[in-house]
Amino acid sequence: SAARALARGPPVIDAVIKIGGALLRDPDALTTTIAAIDDAARRHTLLIVPGGGPFTDAVRGVDRAHTLSATDAHWMAILGMEQFAVMLASRFARAALVHRRGEIARAHSRDTLPVLAPYRWLREVDPLPHSWDVTSDSIAAWVAAQVGARRLIIVKAHAAGANAIVDSYFDRVRPPSLDCAFLTPTLLTGNWFPA
């Protein structure tokens, strides 16, 4: 039962999977990604972190036109991630939108895949600089560290250059011991999940 599962403590998170918002430009790639993660979620304990994609790009455009404060741009961009989280949660077979760390274990205890809408958690602890140097990649690395994930998998539309494709703050927030893999939707086939 859910009560017994919670009594055993939170499950070990096998992987935090960050889904890049650029996948919204390619519906087939997003569908492939969701299907592969749905399949992996049957065997592994996962947490989904959304990218910002066009939702956050809209904030960048407003910032260019109207010069937002760094703090306003930061929180507006994270709200962009929230919008993608809502969409993702509706696309997985069994998913639950979660807003705080404590909700993740409850989602797993109900046999649902937690999809993080990160605004409330980040707003409460405010752990990262308010800068465009911090993107959803760094947020995913921070989340992976906070939940003690075994690995971080970043799904990007294009994976040219691995670490070169993440933001400049990423290596400062990612624990050195955290295994990190960069995958494209076309790599999410067969036995893609690291052993």
Side-chain angles (χ1 to χ4, degrees):
S1 76
R4 283 199 301 274
L6 285 173
R8 290 193 305 265
V12 173
I13 307 271
D14 292 321
V16 167
I17 303 180
K18 185 258 178 167
I19 301 177
L23 270 65
L24 283 165
R25 295 189 199 108
D26 185 343
D28 291 338
L30 185 59
T31 298
T32 296
T33 299
I34 288 168
I37 294 170
D38 261 337
D39 182 58
R42 291 193 208 104
R43 298 178 304 281
H44 301 282
T45 306
L46 308 176
L47 170 63
I48 304 302
V49 174
F55 306 110
T56 296
D57 288 344
V59 178
R60 289 180 190 272
V62 170
D63 188 21
R64 281 192 297 272
H66 300 283
T67 315
L68 300 170
S69 73
T71 293
D72 288 345
H74 178 73
W75 296 122
M76 290 168 69
I78 291 170
L79 285 167
M81 293 173 65
E82 294 255 319
Q83 293 179 70
F84 191 24
V86 170
M87 178 185 173
L88 286 172
S90 73
R91 298 297 172 98
F92 287 105
R94 287 186 48 81
L97 200 62
V98 298
H99 300 275
R100 293 181 176 85
R101 180 179 184 165
E103 298 173 18
I104 297 167
R106 286 194 292 277
H108 286 134
S109 75
R110 295 189 303 268
D111 197 29
T112 56
L113 174 64
V115 177
L116 181 64
Y119 179 82
R120 292 180 202 167
W121 185 8
L122 292 174
R123 191 76 195 220
E124 287 167 4
V125 298
D126 198 9
L128 299 167
H130 299 179
S131 163
W132 285 115
D133 291 337
V134 174
T135 68
S136 56
D137 292 332
S138 283
I139 291 170
W142 179 84
V143 167
Q146 293 300 302
V147 300
R150 290 178 170 152
R151 63 183 52 91
L152 171 62
I153 298 172
I154 296 181
V155 183
K156 296 264 190 182
H158 308 285
N163 277 344
I165 62 176
V166 296
D167 63 67
S168 61
Y169 197 76
F170 182 83
D171 286 328
R172 293 172 63 183
V173 72
R174 182 187 83 151
S177 61
L178 179 64
D179 177 46
C180 189
F182 297 86
L183 300 175
T184 60
T186 55
L187 294 174
L188 299 177
T189 56
N191 191 21
W192 64 273
F193 195 94

